DNA sequence: CTTTATTTGTCCGTATGTATG
DNA sequence: ACATACATACGGACAAATAAA
């Protein structure tokens, strides 16, 4: 078993994309289904990663629409 | 249907106990099984509440030991 | 206005790893 | 060294919301 859980690896990957500017503020993240296929994991893992990012304030999920990057002052 | 999710209600309840000093820093939180019986929910719900509290830094979960209140100066 | 498609949100159950007795 | 108890991780299913036709 990997030292780091799958959901943490995915969360870190997305966070890196946000920090890199690859995912600009206001941009929509790939849907859970897309991420599920991309990382070949179940919905629960993606759900967990998104939830952590939400709690950290990096992204904001809107029910029925999608997950968007929180407008953060470009340091 | 409750306006707030079950896991959020549980998380708020636990947070209140910490702020009230009912759960002192270093004290162990009730096990998932205890909370599960107390709130009559499944382990997943309790796990979600615990995860949020962990991300917020209020508690700290140690694998194979239990969840403990983080040493935080009560204002 | 009703129906359908897409996406997030929540819930339940199971498997694995670690610490304790 | 073995058995038990607890916590975490993974996977899948169900429900609600929004937008478009």
């Amino acid at each position: 078993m990997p030292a780091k859980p799958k959901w943490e690896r995915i969360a870190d990957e997305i966070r890196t994309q946000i920090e890199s500017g690859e995912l600009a503020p206001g941009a929509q993240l790939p849907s859970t289904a897309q991420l599920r296929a991309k990382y070949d994991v179940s919905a629960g893992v993606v759900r967990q990663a998104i939830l952590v990012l939400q709690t950290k304030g990096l992204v904001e999920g809107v029910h029925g629409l999608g997950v968007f990057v929180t407008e953060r002052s470009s340091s």
Side-chain angles (χ1 to χ4, degrees), chain A residues 7-63:
Chain A
W7 65 265
E8 193 168 342
R9 183 184 177 273
I10 297 176
D12 186 72
E13 190 98 351
I14 297 176
R15 189 202 305 180
T16 303
Q17 292 183 16
I18 295 177
E19 302 266 342
S20 301
E22 195 172 338
L23 284 172
Q28 182 182 11
L29 269 69
S31 57
T32 53
Q34 298 283 55
L35 292 172
R36 184 162 85 100
K38 181 184 174 86
Y39 294 97
D40 194 53
V41 291
S42 74
V45 180
V46 178
R47 187 84 214 48
Q48 203 69 8
I50 298 291
L51 180 66
V52 172
L53 293 173
Q54 271 185 332
T55 312
K56 288 188 177 180
L58 275 83
V59 299
E60 187 175 351
V62 182
H63 198 159

